[in-house]
C-alpha cells in the first residue's frame, strides 16, 4: 500500500518538475542550454525553498528545511538533474578535447557526473553516520 507521505512527495515532485519546465522555457531564448538548465534548477529550488521558509517566518516560527519540507521532497529530482547536467557538460568537453569514441565519452561523462554530484552526498551521509548523536 502506498502511504500518504509518498503521494505528498510525488505531488511535490510533479509541482517541482512543472515549475522547472516553466522557468527553463522562460530562460530559453536568452541563455546557452547548459546555463539555462543550471539557472532553472537554482531558480526552481529557490522558489521551493521560499515556499517552505516564508510561511514559517510570517507565523514567527523558526524556518526548518527538515523531512517535512518541500525541498526535502524534491532533493532526488534536483540531484538527478545535476547528474544529467554534469554528464552532458563533461561529454561535450570530452568530444572537443579528445578523440575518444562516442560510447567512451558517454560512459566517462556519466562516471564524472555521478562522482561530482553524488560524491559529496555520500561523503556527507558517511560522515554523519560516523558521528555519534548528540
Amino acid at each position: 500500500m502506498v502511504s500518504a507521505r509518498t503521494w505528498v512527495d510525488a505531488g511535490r515532485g510533479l509541482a517541482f518538475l512543472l515549475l522547472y519546465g516553466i522557468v527553463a522555457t522562460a530562460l530559453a531564448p536568452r541563455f546557452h542550454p547548459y546555463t539555462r538548465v543550471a539557472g532553472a534548477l537554482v531558480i526552481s529550488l529557490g522558489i521551493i525553498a521560499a515556499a517552505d521558509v516564508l510561511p514559517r517566518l510570517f507565523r514567527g516560527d523558526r524556518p526548518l528545511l527538515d523531512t517535512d519540507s518541500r525541498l526535502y521532497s524534491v532533493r532526488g529530482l534536483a540531484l538527478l538533474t545535476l547528474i544529467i547536467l554534469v554528464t552532458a557538460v563533461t561529454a561535450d568537453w570530452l568530444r572537443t578535447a579528445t578523440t575518444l569514441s562516442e560510447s567512451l565519452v558517454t560512459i566517462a561523462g556519466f562516471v564524472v557526473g555521478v562522482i561530482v554530484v553524488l560524491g559529496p552526498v555520500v561523503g556527507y551521509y558517511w560522515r554523519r553516520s560516523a558521528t555519534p548523536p548528540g
Side-chain angles (χ1 to χ4, degrees), residues 25-105:
T25 302
L27 296 176
R30 294 177 197 88
F31 298 102
H32 185 275
Y34 297 144
T35 308
R36 183 175 66 231
V37 168
L41 184 63
V42 168
I43 292 169
S44 298
L45 289 174
I47 291 170
I48 296 290
D52 279 333
V53 171
L54 292 178
R56 292 185 69 98
L57 285 176
F58 290 141
R59 287 191 307 255
D61 296 337
R62 186 173 149 214
L64 297 173
L65 297 175
D66 57 0
T67 57
D68 292 328
S69 71
R70 292 169 187 87
L71 198 58
Y72 188 86
S73 296
V74 300
R75 71 192 188 284
L77 293 172
L79 288 175
L80 183 61
T81 304
L82 277 175
I83 289 171
I84 293 169
L85 176 63
V86 172
T87 298
V89 169
T90 304
D92 272 357
W93 176 77
L94 287 172
R95 277 187 202 101
T96 59
T98 66
T99 58
L100 295 173
S101 69
E102 187 62 28
S103 58
L104 285 176
V105 165

Side-chain angles (χ1 to χ4, degrees), residues 83 86-87 90 105-117:
I83 289 171
V86 172
T87 298
T90 304
V105 165
T106 304
I107 291 169
F110 180 71
V111 168
V112 169
V114 168
I115 290 171
V116 166
V117 174

